[in-house]
Amino acid sequence: MKMMGEQVIGFPPLSIDVQHPNVGGGLKCFDDDGRLKRTGTMWTASAHIITAVIGSGVLSLAWAIGQLGWVAGPVAMLIFAFVIYYTSALLSDCYRSGDPVTGKRNYTYMDAVHANLGGMKVKICGYIQYLNLFGVAIGYTIAASISMMAIKRSNCFHASGGKDPCHMSSNPYMIIFGVSEIIFSQIPDFDQISWLSIVAAVMSFTYSSIGLALGITQTIANGGIKGSLTGISIGSVTETQKIWRSLQAFGDIAFAYSYSIILIEIQDTVKSPPSEAKTMKKATLVSVIVTTAFYMLCGCMGYAAFGDEAPGNLLTGFGFYNPYWLLDIANAAIVIHLVGAYQVYCQPLFAFIEKWANKAYPNSDFIGKEYKVMKGKLSINLFRLSWRSAFVVVTTVISMLLPFFNDVVGLLGALGFWPLTVYFPVEMYIVQKKVPKWSTKWVCLQMLSLACLVISVAAAVGSVAGVVSDLKVYRPFKADY
């Protein structure tokens, strides 16, 4: 897994004569590492982040606040927002090794870990990161199929006047989502999906806004705000269930905020000057403020509307709300958003595998050769076509086999929060900035890391309890609703 100084996948090794007349603009076309000039801005980086962060997880926050209550719920969300912003700022300083302007670039999260920590920590980071990304792909497939089914059921219900129960399987919808991801996964590189991220970000605002508006409407219809200061009460659930649900709520919030695993990859799309770190910190601040505002509004209004009965998915709590087409729009927006979010999360994994293959078989036409089609407008690589398609097929089949796997993804999120969002960024920053051991700053950073470790372990325990509950009614390839 030694990747420092290696070529990013999708770009063959560049050998450029800057004086050659065919190199338009000479050095002006290339960055300091010899690659085509990056064009990303704070706004495109923010779009990538918002696409990654405001996922379908926003719809579960009403349930999370319902477990914790009006006091602990919002406070937990604000704490997670601060931690994510702070550790992301630390991580953005690790994009370049040494000098923040002219230092050697780290193209991926793994590159940054290798440059600053090295050794076994690189392998541990890789296993956690790519397992997490794999789980997210499965979770997004399931979430998208649920939203597609919700549209179909809503239309079926209204067409039959409520006489048809409209039972159906999620499998065909998972297949439809998988086919679309096979197509979009052929986009060669992370830098070329800015447009997809922007579309997905707009969709995330769309369905979050609809959920928020319906929550406000429901609260007004109820004639008041539901919920309590301490969350769901003992009696509605047992004491044990209250504990497990509260812990799982922390996992839901942590997973909803996490995007550190792709921060370096997003930062590698940003142009300079100013330094990439400055741009990324601004993008992170904008994104965290925007997402936290949406999270607080959607989560709090959802809890205000439903109280202790807040559903795991806010949009499902409205049943077959009229006008039902509004919920159809919201669910369609979720599907479109997840198509883009799937790519944002999976591109780093795609790049890692293709980088490894190029290194292992540098002379293979199957792996390295690009074929121009459609009069040169489209480039096809056989290895990219076959392996990425196989990846999507595998995640789709697993989603069909384990339709409750979104709970397992919650577990992966809980397990990945501490190492990927806190531990590695903190440790890399300490090395990068040469923070003296036992200094005040060093101690504070270690205390932050320890506190987040405790939260991650607690959230993982709560998620395991949810998975165990799912296993009791487990039926392979049976996803009828």
Side-chain angles (χ1 to χ4, degrees), residues 12 19 51 54 83 87-88 148-149 154 160 196 202-203 211 213 228 237 247 269 280 283 302 309 339 350 365 372:
Q19 303 299 323
T51 299
I54 303 185
V83 170
T87 57
S88 295
M148 285 189 278
M149 279 196 302
S154 175
S160 66
L196 188 58
V202 171
M203 293 299 104
S228 65
V237 295
L247 295 178
T269 68
M280 201 63 192
E309 298 178 355
V339 169
F350 293 160
D365 286 346
K372 299 294 183 180

Side-chain angles (χ1 to χ4, degrees), residues 138-449:
I138 295 171
Y140 281 179
T141 302
I142 296 170
S145 70
I146 290 173
S147 290
M148 285 189 278
M149 279 196 302
I151 296 172
K152 180 67 175 177
R153 287 192 66 200
S154 175
N155 294 332
C156 168
F157 182 85
H158 283 86
S160 66
K163 297 178 181 179
D164 188 343
C166 301
H167 291 299
M168 61 191 68
S169 171
S170 63
N171 292 340
Y173 301 96
M174 291 185 187
I175 293 173
I176 292 171
F177 184 79
V179 170
S180 70
E181 291 303 337
I182 288 177
I183 296 171
F184 282 109
S185 68
Q186 301 312 311
I187 299 174
D189 184 74
F190 202 91
D191 193 40
Q192 299 177 34
I193 61 171
S194 294
W195 64 273
L196 188 58
S197 283
I198 292 171
V199 170
V202 171
M203 293 299 104
S204 69
F205 282 123
T206 300
Y207 67 73
S208 297
S209 299
I210 292 175
L212 172 61
L214 292 178
I216 294 173
T217 303
Q218 185 68 46
T219 302
I220 295 173
N222 294 338
I225 294 175
K226 291 187 175 183
S228 65
L229 295 178
T230 57
I232 191 168
S233 57
I234 304 298
S236 300
V237 295
T238 65
E239 291 185 9
T240 303
Q241 287 176 324
K242 171 72 173 177
I243 294 173
W244 293 144
R245 286 181 169 215
S246 297
L247 295 178
Q248 190 175 353
F250 284 118
D252 285 355
I253 296 172
F255 185 72
Y257 268 110
S258 296
Y259 70 94
S260 298
I261 52 177
I262 58 171
L263 184 143
I264 296 291
E265 284 83 351
I266 293 174
Q267 192 167 345
D268 191 46
T269 68
V270 173
K271 64 182 178 181
S272 62
S275 70
E276 298 87 357
K278 287 184 179 180
T279 301
M280 201 63 192
K281 288 175 183 178
K282 290 180 181 178
T284 297
L285 180 60
V286 169
S287 303
V288 169
I289 290 174
V290 170
T291 54
T292 301
F294 264 90
Y295 281 3
M296 292 290 282
L297 287 170
C298 291
C300 291
M301 290 312 304
Y303 184 44
F306 297 104
D308 289 352
E309 298 178 355
N313 181 330
L314 177 61
L315 292 178
T316 63
F318 299 101
F320 297 107
Y321 183 92
N322 281 310
Y324 69 94
W325 54 262
L326 189 61
L327 281 175
D328 286 353
I329 292 174
N331 280 302
I334 290 175
V335 175
I336 296 171
H337 172 264
L338 291 176
V339 169
Y342 187 106
Q343 291 303 314
V344 169
Y345 271 98
C346 290
Q347 282 291 337
L349 178 57
F350 293 160
F352 169 74
I353 295 297
E354 289 158 19
K355 182 183 293 185
W356 170 83
N358 270 350
K359 181 181 178 182
Y361 306 98
N363 299 318
S364 171
D365 286 346
F366 176 76
I367 293 174
K369 188 172 181 179
E370 297 284 341
Y371 296 90
K372 299 294 183 180
V373 296
M374 296 178 63
K375 297 181 179 180
K377 295 181 180 179
L378 184 64
S379 179
I380 293 179
N381 173 276
L382 295 179
F383 177 68
R384 182 171 65 239
L385 176 64
S386 56
W387 114 259
R388 292 190 183 189
S389 299
F391 173 87
V392 175
V393 169
V394 170
T395 57
T396 303
V397 170
I398 293 177
S399 301
M400 295 164 62
L401 181 64
L402 306 174
F404 62 86
F405 207 81
N406 50 346
D407 291 325
V408 178
V409 171
L411 173 61
L412 292 173
L415 294 176
F417 172 71
W418 173 70
L420 298 175
T421 302
V422 182
Y423 174 75
F424 284 116
V426 164
E427 293 300 312
M428 286 191 289
Y429 179 82
I430 288 173
V431 172
Q432 180 92 332
K433 299 301 182 181
K434 297 180 173 61
V435 179
K437 195 172 185 179
W438 301 114
S439 65
T440 302
K441 189 169 189 177
W442 185 90
V443 171
C444 290
L445 288 171
Q446 296 299 336
M447 289 177 64
L448 171 65
S449 182

Side-chain angles (χ1 to χ4, degrees), residues 69-92:
W70 279 117
V71 177
V75 168
M77 290 176 64
L78 290 174
I79 291 174
F80 274 104
F82 173 76
V83 170
I84 290 292
Y85 169 70
Y86 183 71
T87 57
S88 295
L90 299 182
L91 184 57
S92 65

Side-chain angles (χ1 to χ4, degrees), residues 5-16 33-35 358-359 362 368:
E6 294 176 8
Q7 189 68 26
V8 163
I9 298 312
F11 295 94
L14 292 172
S15 177
I16 302 165
D33 59 346
R35 297 188 184 175
N358 270 350
K359 181 181 178 182

Side-chain angles (χ1 to χ4, degrees), residues 122-137:
V122 179
K123 293 184 178 180
I124 294 174
C125 173
Y127 292 139
I128 296 172
Q129 181 184 8
Y130 296 126
L131 178 62
N132 192 277
L133 294 176
F134 184 75
V136 167

